[in-house]
Each structure stands twice: as C-alpha cells, then as structure tokens.
Amino acid sequence: MIPAIRTWIVACVTAGGMLAALPAHSQISDGVVKLGVINDQSGPFSSLTGPGSVLAIRMAVEDMKPQLGDIRVEILVADHQNKPDVGVATVKRWLDVDNIDAVLDVSNSSVALGVQTLIRERNKVALYGIIGTTELTGKQCAKTGFSWVHDAYALVSGPVKTLTKGPEDTWYFLGADFEFGKNMVQVAKRLVTARGGKTVGEAFHPMSEADFSSYLLQAQGSKAKMVAFANAGTQLVNVMKQWQEFGMQGGGQRPIATLLSVADVHAAGMDVMQGLTATTAWYWGLNDDTRAFAKRFFARFNAMPTESQAGMYSATMHYLKAVAATKTDATDAVVSRMREVPVDDMFAKGARLRPDGKLAHDFLLVTVKTKQESKAPWDYYKVDAVIPSSDAFTSLEASDCPLVTDAAKSK
C-alpha cells in the first residue's frame, strides 16, 4: 500500500490579487498555472532540496509577479520518501486529477526516470534538480524534461580529470545502493580508465546505512590514493565523521565527494569536512549576484542555499518567463520559448538548453576550507577551478538521446 502523501498549496499569487480574472487574451488552462514540487522533505537528502527548494520556488513565483500580471500560480508539494512507487503515483495523480503543468525538483534518480515516462506520455514539463543518472538525458530523454543542476558525469568529471594522470592514481568507490550511486560509480570508473588511472575496489551501502566502519576499512585496505563517496546528505555526513574517527583524515588517502553541498559541511562541521574535494554546479559565495540571492534566502530559511535550491529558483523563473511571454501554459509553446531564450541569472550566465534536455552551464571544482581559512559563517569553499560547460557534460556527439539529431551532433 502506498503511504499517504501530504500535499499543500504553498503559493497562489497574482499581481492583482488571488481572485483577479484572467485577461481575455491569456490561454491558461483551468485559469491557473500549477506547479508540482516533489522531493525528499524529511529524509537523507532533505537539506539539499526539501523545504529549501520549495522556498526557492516560492521566491521565484513571487519575483515573477510583475511579469505574470493576472496569471495565477499554484504550487503543490509532496514528499516522495525516496520511494519510486510513492513518487510516481503522486505525480501520476497530479497529472491526471490535479492537471498540473510542470513537475519540479524530484531529487531522486529512480523517481525521476518514472516521472520522465509520465511527462513524455502526457506532454507535460519537468524541471529536474539534483538528478545523478545520465539516463535522464540519455536513452530516456524527453523533449519536455530538463536537467537543470547536474548529472553524474558533471559531478565526477572535475575531480577525476584533475586528479587522474596515470596508473599510479588509484580509486576506491563507496556508493549508495540505488540508481544515483550505481550510475555515479559507473560513470566515474569509465572516466578513471579513460584518464589512465585504475579502480582498485568498490562497495555499495543501503540507503538506511548509518555505520560505515566496515566499508571504510575496505577502502583503507585498498590503499587507493582517492576514496570517492557516491552518496549525499546525511549519508555523506556520517561517513565523513567516521572517516575522521578512524584517523583516515591524515592517513594519506584523499576523500572525494561526488555530491557535496554547503548544507553537508554545515551539518558535519569544517573540522570533519576539511580537505574534501568536489564538483558543484553553484556556490552562494561566488560573486555579488549569488551573494545577493543567498542573503534573501537566508533571511527566510536561516541557512545558505544549496546548488539544488538555487537551481530550482532559476528553473522556475525561466519556466514562468516563458509562460509570461507566450501568455499560455500550453506545453509546446512554453517549451519552445524556453529553448529559444538563454538562461542568464545568478545560477547560470548565458546558458542554453541542449537538445537532450541538459542546461549547459559552468561548474566549480571546490575544496572545503579549514577553519583558519574561513573568513565568515558559511564561508566553506575554496574555488580551485571553473569547469566550462563544454568540459562538464558529455558532448552531444557522444549522446545517446534519441532527440539529438545528426545536425545537432555536428555543431
């Protein structure tokens, strides 16, 4: 039996009031644009997405009031509990009964693949946040499904390409035993081999795992130069705490996070996370624009935004700008507008949606600072390098997305 999912309407806004009549020229189905936000609201990934993503989406809706005019927007929210059956059933109900126009965030690879099938069948929009599996914009791509933040290749390519020079650079992988972790390790191993390095071991842990001692002992025994963790949220926090407890922090092996957020560093503390290397799609302290958004977000959430939360603000803004420009929520018109206009905001500068659904934007290679290096609260990252979008993602030439034509591949 599928557990009950609580759903809330958290925004219903118009420039002229909730009951304002739609102008005659607008073609908004049911008189309202409906957004369905589904993610991990209380589990291991809730700090990366969760209520913070809902707030970021709400902020985008509020900021779009002047452009939307009398177009009303509703936001429905649900917790998929990291269970594909729960997530897919919820989205199916939203699409078939509540007539939502777009699914947002999702933040779980297995759920996302199920959602992708639904939106493809019903010609609806999905704006995905932190989805690791490359299948989403590969073999399972959809013309209305957009991966806004990252995928497994983008997350592992920075550290692997930077740290792997030859056969002496060895890797051990510890991943979460579900689609995200498995896909992340598979992609990373392929890149290690391509760079001339060697994978000396791998292991996968259950989603509910809290004791990583046996896994860490295996990693230590492998004598790999790099130990990479293909997990996130509370899983990553717990494994890094035990990494420190076992004295591995100064043991000569370098820890790599394939998915790291400032929320993880804040939860574990800089003493635990210092020296951890990762690739990230966005950092709140990068420039004046990112800091301005972060200041507004922090005032309402008491935490700095993660890359996923910032990405969901950007995705929502881009979608609603297309609705405002076309004066309709008809999928084909909105998607066409989204693809025509670049994304140029505090999340991504001059970024465009590729034929496979990826938002092509730059990434950052970062290392967690020591307490001595940190100058202010939440000042956690040293930016080691900017990774251009052309290097961050798999090339269109190598894409196995059926929507990528020969003409697009040749560009």
Side-chain angles (χ1 to χ4, degrees):
M1 179 176 293
I2 297 174
I5 301 295
R6 292 183 297 168
T7 303
W8 305 265
I9 295 178
V10 296
C12 184
V13 297
T14 71
M18 290 175 60
L19 300 179
L22 287 171
H25 59 270
S26 288
Q27 299 176 16
I28 305 298
S29 59
D30 297 340
V32 60
V33 177
K34 292 184 179 181
L35 309 178
V37 186
I38 186 164
N39 60 25
D40 181 350
Q41 285 284 304
S42 57
F45 308 124
S46 58
S47 62
L48 280 72
T49 60
S53 284
V54 177
L55 172 60
I57 291 164
R58 178 186 286 178
M59 289 171 63
V61 173
E62 294 168 356
D63 290 347
M64 279 297 298
K65 283 183 183 181
Q67 293 186 50
L68 288 170
D70 290 325
I71 297 175
R72 294 170 50 217
V73 179
E74 290 181 1
I75 304 176
L76 281 67
V77 181
D79 184 349
H80 56 44
Q81 305 169 43
N82 293 301
K83 298 176 181 178
D85 58 341
V86 172
V88 172
T90 301
V91 172
K92 187 176 187 298
R93 186 179 69 248
W94 279 351
L95 292 168
D96 295 345
V97 178
D98 298 306
N99 196 32
I100 64 167
D101 298 291
V103 183
L104 279 72
D105 201 1
V106 186
S107 67
N108 180 290
S109 293
S110 298
V111 178
L113 291 174
V115 170
Q116 191 86 318
T117 298
L118 293 174
I119 64 153
R120 187 187 297 111
E121 293 171 349
R122 291 159 176 78
N123 194 36
K124 295 293 185 178
V125 174
L127 305 171
Y128 300 106
I130 53 169
I131 302 299
T133 178
T134 53
E135 288 288 300
L136 194 70
T137 51
K139 294 179 181 178
Q140 300 301 319
C141 66
K143 65 178 182 179
T144 59
F146 302 108
S147 177
W148 218 262
V149 181
H150 64 222
D151 64 14
Y153 184 95
L155 289 175
V156 302
S157 63
V160 170
K161 289 180 179 180
T162 300
L163 300 174
T164 309
K165 307 298 182 184
E168 71 280 0
D169 295 319
T170 52
W171 291 74
Y172 185 94
F173 295 97
L174 174 58
D177 193 11
F178 74 119
E179 184 66 28
F180 165 82
K182 291 177 179 178
N183 186 249
M184 193 75 73
V185 171
Q186 181 185 45
V187 172
K189 287 171 61 179
R190 195 161 58 238
L191 285 170
V192 167
T193 299
R195 299 289 291 184
K198 184 178 180 182
T199 298
V200 295
E202 65 183 70
F204 294 91
H205 63 79
M207 284 284 292
S208 59
E209 188 64 78
D211 182 3
F212 295 93
S213 56
S214 63
Y215 301 104
L216 289 175
L217 288 174
Q218 291 176 48
Q220 189 176 43
S222 74
K223 301 188 185 302
K225 290 178 66 175
M226 272 71 69
V227 179
F229 303 115
N231 53 22
T234 55
Q235 297 169 343
L236 178 62
V237 169
N238 287 336
V239 78
M240 285 304 297
K241 286 180 177 178
Q242 291 169 40
W243 174 275
Q244 184 191 46
E245 290 169 1
F246 290 172
M248 296 177 70
Q249 199 169 58
Q253 292 176 298
R254 183 167 185 169
I256 311 294
T258 59
L259 176 53
L260 177 67
S261 80
V262 291
D264 300 328
V265 181
H266 192 74
M270 296 181 74
D271 285 344
V272 171
M273 302 295 245
Q274 64 182 11
L276 186 62
T277 297
T279 300
T280 183
W282 185 85
Y283 177 46
W284 75 266
L286 184 63
N287 56 45
D288 289 344
D289 289 344
T290 59
R291 285 188 287 269
F293 172 76
K295 182 178 179 180
R296 293 173 54 211
F297 185 93
F298 188 90
R300 297 172 65 169
F301 200 66
N302 200 35
M304 288 301 182
T306 66
E307 64 274 23
S308 184
Q309 292 156 356
M312 283 298 95
Y313 174 90
S314 171
T316 306
M317 288 288 288
H318 194 66
Y319 174 82
L320 291 178
K321 284 178 182 178
V323 170
T326 58
K327 295 182 173 59
T328 181
D329 58 357
T331 297
D332 291 346
V334 172
V335 166
S336 177
R337 177 68 179 181
M338 289 175 67
R339 289 186 178 277
E340 289 172 2
V341 180
V343 176
D344 198 8
D345 55 24
M346 59 82 202
F347 179 77
K349 299 295 184 185
R352 287 190 175 274
L353 289 165
R354 301 191 338 173
D356 58 2
K358 288 185 175 77
L359 179 68
H361 58 85
D362 296 343
F363 279 73
L364 305 170
L365 184 67
V366 301
T367 300
V368 178
K369 293 180 176 181
T370 65
K371 279 187 175 179
Q372 292 72 29
E373 293 170 323
S374 179
K375 305 302 181 185
W378 294 88
D379 175 28
Y380 294 149
Y381 291 166
K382 292 183 290 186
V383 178
D384 300 322
V386 176
I387 304 169
S389 60
S390 56
D391 289 339
F393 293 106
T394 51
S395 66
L396 285 175
E397 290 81 3
S399 175
D400 55 2
C401 167
L403 301 174
V404 180
T405 64
D406 292 338
K409 288 185 177 185
S410 65
K411 288 183 179 179

